[in-house]
Amino acid sequence: MYTEKDRDEKLNRLIKFLSEESIFEGVIQIGSGAIGYYDIYSDIDLMVGCTSRDVINEAEIRLHNFFENDGAIYIDERKWTKTILGLSVYYENGLSFDISFMLTHEIGIKSAQWKILLAKTGEFENHIIKILIIVLTIRFIINLFIV
């Protein structure tokens, strides 16, 4: 079984890797980890923004290689659309990552629990701010009519 320290170290290594790779613009953590893990068994859920359509397949290869080199024992590749891909990554100690990666402008946040872990470009930050404004506006309108 992994410890909180193990989880933090793996996440920090991944963020460092993503920050050094030019094809990635930013990272959002979603789920319980964004506000503090509920327990020591929580996985890590991330959405990663990529710079262009041309690099999506390269992003999958680079992320796959990163996790293989980091000791992952199983990596499940997913393809939702041509430009929205994902990896489910598992380590022997039980730690897992669920990562979706896509064009930055395709990122949509449905979870109430999220935070930006890395923002390398203004486009990434601007897109996330737009999403936040939309979500807050919708919640305001819903609350206006429910109350």
Side-chain angles (χ1 to χ4, degrees):
M1 188 46 53
Y2 61 90
T3 65
E4 288 182 47
K5 182 180 176 188
D6 294 333
R7 180 175 48 211
D8 291 343
E9 287 175 355
K10 293 278 188 198
L11 178 57
N12 289 336
R13 274 199 300 276
L14 175 61
I15 297 303
K16 183 178 185 311
F17 167 78
L18 294 170
S19 72
E20 295 170 350
E21 294 283 331
S22 63
I23 64 174
F24 302 110
E25 288 189 296
V27 181
I28 297 170
Q29 185 171 16
I30 57 175
S32 64
I35 60 169
Y37 301 98
Y38 290 128
D39 57 44
I40 63 167
Y41 307 109
S42 294
D43 67 344
I44 298 171
D45 302 305
L46 304 173
M47 293 193 311
V48 178
C50 295
T51 56
S52 72
R53 180 179 303 275
D54 300 333
V55 301
I56 295 294
N57 291 325
E58 181 64 26
E60 180 178 39
I61 292 166
R62 291 186 193 183
L63 282 166
H64 194 284
N65 289 341
F66 168 82
F67 284 111
E68 271 188 348
N69 293 332
D70 196 47
I73 60 168
Y74 181 74
I75 302 170
D76 183 25
E77 298 176 358
R78 308 224 169 126
K79 185 171 186 174
W80 289 282
T81 70
K82 289 180 182 178
T83 57
I84 302 177
L85 308 178
L87 296 176
S88 292
V89 180
Y90 303 90
Y91 289 90
E92 189 170 352
N93 64 5
L95 179 62
S96 65
F97 282 81
D98 284 313
I99 302 172
S100 299
F101 47 100
M102 63 209 72
L103 298 172
T104 291
H105 72 270
E106 292 181 319
I107 291 177
I109 302 169
K110 295 178 183 172
S111 172
Q113 302 169 338
W114 62 274
K115 70 178 176 183
I116 297 173
L117 297 181
L118 175 67
K120 293 168 39 178
T121 67
E123 181 182 341
F124 187 85
E125 289 177 333
N126 290 338
H127 178 70
I128 301 309
I129 289 168
K130 285 180 200 173
I131 291 172
L132 179 60
I133 291 169
I134 291 168
V135 168
L136 291 174
T137 302
I138 291 170
R139 287 184 183 164
F140 175 76
I141 292 169
I142 289 171
N143 287 334
L144 191 66
F145 290 105
I146 291 178
V147 176

